[in-house]
Amino acid sequence: MSRIAFEPLHDEFGARVLGVDLVLGLRPDIVQSIREALDTWSLLCFPDQAMNDDAHLALTRHLGEPEAEHVTLGSTGKVVYFGTVGNVADDGSKQDAVHPRTRYQTGNELWHSDSSFRAVPTLYSINHAYEVPGEGGGTCFASMRTAWDRLPEKTQDDIEPLRVIHDYVFSRTQVAPVNLAHAASLPPVVHRLVRRNPANGRKNYYVGSHARSVLGWTCGAKSRELIDDLMDRATRSEHVYTHPWKAGDTVIWDNRCLLHRGAGYDADRWRRRMRQTRVCGAGPTLEE
Ligand code: OGA
Ligand code: MN
């Protein structure tokens, strides 16, 4: 096999990885290179992968503990490791824009970090694209690490000690109802606002659509102002990389330091189908 090579996708983060077969070629040294590259690049795209669910789950396990998908877990108590992103049902039929599942996913068009509403949030998400729209349907990414680096030093010092409440019901009810069992399974959690990558020491702030308020701040408007300002700073267009999915792309990203959102697409017109797994974080962010 050819040597592993990285081509930058954006000047702040992200790389296309060539010379790796994620299905047949996952030797321990390759897995180690992928881990290290994720600490450096935050997002890796592996094009032209002949992926399937078994290989996808094997890749997930190589990178850590698979995370139980929260909608199924919260609503039914069952552990499944895959989520399906897009508008194609398990039986292959297309679910149009008005379908509850498709509408529910529009919540992913708000900037977020996966499972930031869990006590132990997602470390990596791994998406594989099987069917992509002919138009639209990209996923936008932005780095809270480079955004942290751009903050004035005084702001960095002021926000470093803060803790933030993340709340799934708060964020998701803005676009769609959340069933009772699911809502009850996801009480609000507290995270550090500022996180540090244990391998390279790079810091970032950690916000997103699920970030509801700053712990201990009684003025909701002040909380909102800070969180919204941090979101805006990270996601100005020049800092955003929009991934134009091609069928066969496997993308792995680091949710500790990246925000992402769906760019949207015409779900009545196009089919879009991605499979996703997530790797659990190392522990609660307060213990990092
Ligand atoms: C995700 C996600 C948004 C999209 O895959 O976790 O939020 O529609 N995707 O691309
Ligand atoms: Mn997501």
Side-chain angles (χ1 to χ4, degrees):
M1 166 168 304
S2 49
R3 265 184 68 81
I4 183 163
F6 299 92
E7 291 175 353
L9 290 168
H10 184 276
D11 58 10
E12 294 184 26
F13 65 93
R16 180 182 296 109
V17 188
L18 303 174
V20 174
D21 181 336
L22 294 173
V23 179
L24 299 175
L26 273 190
R27 300 188 314 260
D29 59 311
I30 299 284
V31 173
Q32 188 53 27
S33 304
I34 292 173
R35 279 178 192 288
E36 287 169 13
L38 282 163
D39 284 328
T40 305
W41 298 94
S42 305
L43 177 149
L44 300 174
C45 173
F46 301 80
D48 301 321
Q49 299 295 321
M51 192 53 77
N52 58 66
D53 279 357
D54 287 345
H56 192 151
L57 188 58
L59 167 65
T60 309
R61 292 191 195 279
H62 276 293
L63 293 174
E65 183 71 29
E67 184 181 294
E69 195 276 313
H70 67 91
V71 181
T72 306
L73 183 68
S75 328
T76 69
K78 287 202 193 91
V79 172
V80 298
Y81 293 129
F82 283 90
T84 299
V85 177
N87 61 348
V88 178
D90 290 345
D91 67 6
S93 62
K94 183 161 78 64
Q95 298 172 323
D96 287 349
V98 295
H99 190 283
R101 228 190 114 258
T102 307
R103 221 177 84 221
Y104 193 77
Q105 291 200 26
T106 60
N108 292 334
E109 294 174 18
L110 303 170
W111 286 105
H112 65 282
S113 171
D114 284 337
S115 296
S116 82
F117 47 81
R118 289 181 128 163
V120 177
T122 304
L123 169 56
Y124 306 129
S125 295
I126 307 173
N127 279 26
H128 183 81
Y130 288 93
E131 293 182 72
V132 301
E135 204 174 83
T139 306
C140 310
F141 294 89
S143 173
M144 296 182 279
R145 178 186 284 175
T146 51
W148 163 266
D149 290 342
R150 293 191 299 272
L151 284 179
E153 210 171 308
K154 163 87 169 73
T155 311
Q156 290 181 337
D157 292 345
D158 289 347
I159 71 170
E160 182 138 21
L162 300 179
R163 308 277 185 263
V164 170
I165 300 170
H166 292 241
D167 180 349
Y168 183 78
V169 176
F170 157 78
S171 53
R172 196 53 62 132
T173 49
Q174 295 169 28
V175 298
V178 177
N179 79 55
L180 272 179
H182 186 201
S185 73
L186 295 171
V189 297
V190 177
H191 291 304
R192 278 179 194 285
L193 177 54
V194 179
R195 303 180 69 177
R196 188 177 157 276
N197 179 300
N200 59 26
R202 297 284 305 273
K203 287 185 184 170
N204 63 270
Y205 56 76
Y206 183 64
V207 286
S209 61
H210 311 300
R212 191 181 81 190
S213 56
V214 178
L215 186 68
W217 286 14
T218 48
C219 175
K222 199 175 151 219
S223 269
R224 222 34 284 153
E225 200 182 309
L226 173 64
I227 294 167
D228 289 347
D229 178 57
L230 294 174
M231 300 271 283
D232 289 349
R233 285 170 183 268
T235 60
R236 285 188 198 128
S237 61
E238 64 270 32
H239 304 300
V240 172
Y241 166 67
T242 300
H243 186 67
W245 293 98
K246 284 210 186 84
D249 283 351
T250 304
V251 173
I252 311 176
W253 70 90
D254 184 344
N255 283 284
R256 292 172 298 186
C257 63
L258 291 190
L259 288 167
H260 65 282
R261 70 176 191 91
Y265 64 104
D266 184 345
D268 292 338
R269 179 163 177 212
W270 305 105
R271 290 169 63 93
R272 183 175 192 247
R273 180 168 181 270
M274 285 196 262
R275 295 284 275 166
Q276 180 183 73
T277 58
R278 299 175 180 182
V279 174
C280 294
T285 65
L286 296 180
E287 290 169 19
E288 281 174 359

